[in-house]
Amino acid sequence: MDKTRQAGIAINQLGYRSKDVKIAIRRDGSGGFSLVDAGSGETVWQGETGQAEWNEASGGMVSRGDFSGWQQPGVYRIETDKGEISYPFVIADDVYEEAHRALLKAFYFFRCGMELEERHAGPWTHRACHLTPAIVYGEEEKRVDAHGGWHDAGDYGKYVGPGAKAVADLLLAEEFYPQAFKRELGIPESGGFMPDALQECRYELEWMLRMQDGATGGVYHKLTTLQFPPGDTMPEDDTAELYVSPISATATGCFAAAMAMAARRYRPYDEAFAASCLRAAEKAWDWLEGHPGYPGFRNPPAVSTGEYGDEQDADERYWAAAELYRTTGESKYHEAFRQLVDAVQPFGLFELGWANMSGYGTIAYLFSEREQSPALAAQLREGLLRRADELAAVCAADGYGISLQPEQYIWGSNMLVMNHAMLLLVANRLSGSAAYERHAIKHVHYLFGANVLGMSYVTGLGTKPILYPHHRPSEGDGVDAPVPGLVSGGPNYRLQDDYAREHLAGKAPAASFADVMESYSTNEVTIYWNSPAVFVLSHFVGL
């Protein structure tokens, strides 16, 4: 098939469940379209797109053809009256099963400190890495054994805050949609009585426990080398000295929250581990109480790796208080949570990103079985649904059906896409309104190809997936295909790397993307871009 004829029509390259909304997006104007059986060539459905309209984010005209009424399983393509032909796609109720599994298995490929063997990793193997104790920056005589955990992104740093977000997304997914996690992943721990998703999170949680200072309860912000290694460096060849950066309030707050979550989720499977998580969370909370007004984190002078700086920690404290209250029922955490609401409100109470973790605190409180303040619970519920309504309104006006405004196509825009879908699904769970779910699924369609570039933003999935992510193991391992199941950061109109400045200037926000290793500001991968995608797909495979 001539791929140049596919440039004018975008679809979800994985496909659609039978009863889902199914939209083909045309960029060549409006008119007739046909749904064609890919095997027989028979036209099984015909329709007309709506009127073409200007889409500011993508910088072009788009029209939308709805073929939701066709529910027969099979393999299909879309053909237009101007000769455009889409990539083939599937209609089947299990269409997202393998994608969900790949997005979750990606966390195994991010593992640090152990050999990835062929029987679990296929061709994407590497030797054990980063096993030497790390120097505590500013206390050069002090060493911390902080092996294990997940590499954060395309580099080999490990960061408590982003790791806590990723863990939170996965633990919430496993709590809300346990049926989605029945299948084994093919990781070393598979075959036990604990779901593989919890096994995988435990690998990160055990690293986080090593990042807590035993004497004070505070948590070191991150573990990295002083500088990033070259782009084709394999993990085992990154042998520069390791450093843990100083304790931060944001890391300590995230740690307390994630450990309190873990204490609940692991209790049915491993009471001793759950208890150790709760003790660590309570000790971290004691540190937070003893350090009000703690300065925001900034990289120490000699450190040039990812900073994850954050000037305020009210949202992390808010999240920690909510999780500790939900886990323990102790009134002191409830009181702290109520007092923190006003401090967090100016920054937003419903955000799910590493820079503002407030949404996790709100979710923890709303879904808690503990006694609530009725007025506060009503305020938070109404506020979350109001925020979901705002996102839904953007979806309804957007040519591609997603909730990003043009100015939101920033570094990690695909995280925002999936975070928004996640919030819509939480609203669906709170309200029972299927309208939120119908908007959320459009974000899945966007991720897998229903976008202005007509590509899947996940390695190894779809007919036209990204091939050259900013991911050092994929660059240096000698395997043609990148590590599968990695979510790319996506379009970023801010031109924040040299390649983007040279090649993407003048592009529309949603088209500001380059599938090259050099464009780290558009095509990097991270654990906390994968994690909300796992949550969202869990809804659509776990019902």
Side-chain angles (χ1 to χ4, degrees), residues 298-320:
R298 285 289 177 261
N299 265 343
V303 178
S304 62
T305 50
E307 184 173 69
Y308 291 104
D310 196 343
E311 287 299 326
Q312 64 87 27
D313 55 37
D315 53 293
E316 288 85 4
R317 293 171 185 262
Y318 172 86
W319 179 26

Side-chain angles (χ1 to χ4, degrees), residues 314-432:
D315 53 293
E316 288 85 4
R317 293 171 185 262
Y318 172 86
W319 179 26
E323 297 290 0
L324 278 161
Y325 178 55
R326 188 179 181 192
T327 299
T328 69
E330 292 187 25
S331 60
K332 68 175 182 178
Y333 300 121
H334 195 195
E335 182 59 29
F337 178 78
R338 288 186 292 194
Q339 290 180 2
L340 283 161
V341 170
D342 289 341
V344 176
Q345 195 150 9
F347 307 103
L349 292 167
F350 314 105
E351 302 303 312
L352 299 171
W354 65 263
N356 185 346
M357 302 284 201
S358 61
Y360 297 102
T362 298
I363 291 168
Y365 192 71
L366 289 176
F367 286 94
S368 175
E369 300 78 18
R370 305 295 182 181
E371 181 180 354
Q372 297 177 334
S373 166
L376 178 55
Q379 173 194 339
L380 293 175
R381 183 181 186 278
E382 290 166 10
L384 191 148
L385 295 179
R386 185 164 56 249
R387 176 60 181 144
D389 288 338
E390 292 170 357
L391 295 176
V394 177
C395 294
D398 181 72
Y400 290 85
I402 66 165
S403 56
L404 294 198
Q405 302 280 10
E407 65 273 13
Q408 292 180 299
Y409 288 87
I410 56 174
W411 199 326
S413 62
N414 281 338
M415 179 191 73
L416 290 181
V417 171
M418 290 292 104
N419 282 353
H420 288 181
M422 184 173 168
L423 191 72
L424 288 164
L425 292 173
V426 172
N428 167 263
R429 195 175 187 89
L430 278 174
S431 69

